[in-house]
Amino acid sequence: DGDASEARRANLSAFAPSPSFLCSGTGLVSRGLCHLFNRHVPTAHRSEASSSSVFGKLRCLFGKGPSAGNGVKLTGYYRLRTPLLSHSIGTPLEDRKRLGLRGLLPAGVVPLHVQLDNVMEQLRGKVSDIERYNYLATIQDGHEDLFFAALVNHTFECMPYVYTPTVGEACVKWHKIYRHSPRGLYISLGDRGSIRKILEAYPEKGIKAICLTDGERILGLGDLGANGMGIPIGKLALYTACAGVPPQQCLPVHIDVGTNNMDLRGEAGYMGLRQERVRGEEYDSIVREFVEASQAVYGRSVLLQFEDFGNTNAFRLMREYQPKACTFNDDIQGTAAVVVGGLMASVRVTGTQLSKHRYLFYGAGEAGVGIADLIAEAIQEEVG
């Protein structure tokens, strides 16, 4: 740790959100991820980071190894209980002595690639997708190196269990499969006036990307309230695996303003506020406080990704905070960027300009309107 960890933190602190990392595709993962993130790896480790090995790929995400964002050196039992720091049974013998881990692990040292083979064997043996989701979440909660080794090296196979479509079932059952391990922040109406203190108390201090939801429009499932937290957690896992954003720089957040899902409010195990959603100034004030607190604690360049907000709030929040923050709405702008990017690519194949096509939209939700707006902008730019 010590000087080496400080050097890694200083190196990673240079990261700033940009459109390029938001648009990076999964095709970069298996071959190009290290090149994508190579500039954030200390020079001494670049040859290993560019390696095709499992450990080499992870080094380009974490540097020499993930370090505690709060600068605290953890040893012994509590180090093993910290997913970003624990290398579990892969910890070298000399590190076990130095970090006070002797007696806490079996005597043998199991390389990461062997652990990965075991994980994939167990994953493939599960009988349902939700079991695979829970299994990968268990790995993430204990050993993030291993979790991202699976997601980076087996992206096509693992992504459906980390994010869509399985995350939808996970959100529906969130109050039943809750893991009792802290991940991200749950901020509710009762926290108004204290949000900055909550952010300051969070152990990771170098947050660069926040994915937040109020749970009102989760995928096509509707209002799931606090159960919607599965979406920011899953989305930010993809930030790391597909775009090379260090996991200690990502923060999933749920803002609990109630839920209009009567069935969910009636569930004995539901963990969110058992009240109707607030609207108007009461709603706006907690979102405003969160945005301002995030910028005060993490800097004005912190990325705020609004995810799965209802139509009532999504468009107006996007317009309100575009001039004030580094922000985007994934359902409106992210989807539009992918679709219009595909249309632009088709121009090179067909030779037919965007302005020569006729576009039909089925519905006028966040995605449809966002796509239509961006197509109109692209056509305007094309024809002058």
Side-chain angles (χ1 to χ4, degrees):
D1 296 347
D3 294 339
S5 293
E6 290 296 329
R8 291 196 296 275
R9 280 193 291 274
N11 190 277
L12 290 172
S13 68
F15 173 78
S18 66
S20 61
F21 92 79
L22 292 173
C23 297
S24 299
T26 57
L28 293 170
V29 173
S30 60
R31 293 180 297 277
L33 181 59
C34 296
H35 297 291
L36 173 68
F37 209 62
N38 202 33
R39 66 185 181 278
H40 304 301
V41 181
T43 304
H45 307 307
R46 285 184 181 172
S47 60
E48 292 172 85
S50 60
S51 154
S52 61
S53 68
V54 173
F55 188 62
K57 289 179 181 178
L58 290 177
R59 278 217 172 166
C60 68
L61 296 180
F62 298 114
K64 187 176 181 181
S67 56
N70 57 11
V72 176
K73 179 180 179 181
L74 292 177
T75 59
Y77 176 83
Y78 293 102
R79 187 179 186 90
L80 290 180
R81 292 299 298 269
T82 304
L84 274 168
L85 296 177
S86 174
H87 299 299
S88 187
I89 55 178
T91 307
L93 295 178
E94 59 271 21
D95 288 347
R96 298 184 186 194
K97 180 178 180 181
R98 179 173 59 87
L99 297 170
L101 303 179
R102 290 190 299 180
L104 296 175
L105 294 166
V109 178
V110 181
L112 186 60
H113 69 88
V114 176
Q115 297 179 55
L116 176 57
D117 290 342
N118 291 339
V119 163
M120 297 310 297
E121 180 182 348
Q122 293 298 311
L123 184 69
R124 292 160 184 158
K126 305 298 179 185
V127 298
S128 68
D129 288 351
I130 194 64
E131 285 183 325
R132 296 182 183 97
Y133 177 94
N134 284 329
Y135 178 67
L136 288 172
T138 300
I139 301 299
Q140 185 180 19
D141 286 344
H143 188 357
E144 291 212 11
D145 274 12
L146 184 55
F147 171 78
F148 285 113
L151 192 51
V152 167
N153 287 273
H154 300 276
T155 310
F156 184 81
E157 183 174 358
C158 291
M159 189 180 289
Y161 311 128
V162 172
Y163 200 57
T164 53
T166 311
V167 72
E169 182 180 358
C171 287
V172 170
K173 299 177 178 178
W174 196 257
H175 60 294
K176 297 181 179 180
I177 64 172
Y178 182 70
R179 308 196 53 76
H180 303 280
S181 53
R183 184 167 294 278
L185 291 175
Y186 292 83
I187 293 174
S188 72
L189 293 170
D191 296 317
R192 284 174 295 182
S194 302
I195 294 178
R196 178 167 179 169
K197 291 181 180 178
I198 291 172
L199 294 178
E200 288 173 339
Y202 191 70
E204 296 296 341
K205 306 304 181 185
I207 299 300
K208 301 294 184 183
I210 297 173
C211 183
L212 65 149
T213 186
D214 68 356
E216 186 172 12
R217 194 200 64 81
I218 298 298
L219 304 175
L221 302 169
D223 188 348
L224 294 183
N227 282 20
M229 183 57 147
I231 296 296
I233 290 175
K235 182 59 65 74
L236 289 174
L238 303 187
Y239 268 48
T240 296
C242 300
V245 183
Q248 63 268 33
Q249 295 182 357
C250 298
L251 177 61
V253 173
H254 178 266
I255 298 180
D256 193 345
V257 295
T259 176
N260 293 340
N261 187 328
M262 294 291 292
D263 292 337
L264 192 57
R265 291 206 320 246
E267 287 275 352
Y270 178 62
M271 302 174 292
L273 292 176
R274 296 175 183 271
Q275 65 175 63
E276 289 189 0
R277 286 182 170 271
V278 301
R279 302 290 184 187
E281 176 55 27
E282 191 174 6
Y283 178 92
D284 291 346
S285 66
I286 190 171
V287 175
R288 185 185 313 117
E289 183 181 349
F290 176 79
V291 171
E292 292 174 354
S294 297
Q295 292 181 323
V297 175
Y298 303 124
R300 289 189 58 81
S301 66
V302 65
L303 173 69
L304 301 172
Q305 174 184 334
F306 286 78
E307 182 79 29
D308 286 357
F309 282 70
N311 289 4
T312 305
N313 295 309
F315 287 97
R316 66 183 190 84
L317 290 176
M318 179 184 72
R319 296 187 183 104
E320 178 176 352
Y321 289 108
Q322 274 181 328
K324 304 174 183 177
C326 176
T327 184
F328 79 108
N329 182 294
D330 190 42
D331 309 289
I332 300 171
Q333 297 169 288
T335 304
V338 172
V339 171
V340 175
L343 292 173
M344 287 178 167
S346 75
V347 172
R348 295 199 297 268
V349 177
T350 65
T352 304
Q353 292 183 317
L354 296 177
S355 56
K356 303 300 182 183
H357 290 284
R358 179 175 296 176
Y359 303 92
L360 175 65
F361 295 88
Y362 183 73
E366 294 172 41
V369 172
I371 293 168
D373 285 346
L374 196 57
I375 288 176
E377 287 185 33
I379 291 175
Q380 184 179 29
E381 183 175 314
E382 180 182 86
V383 301

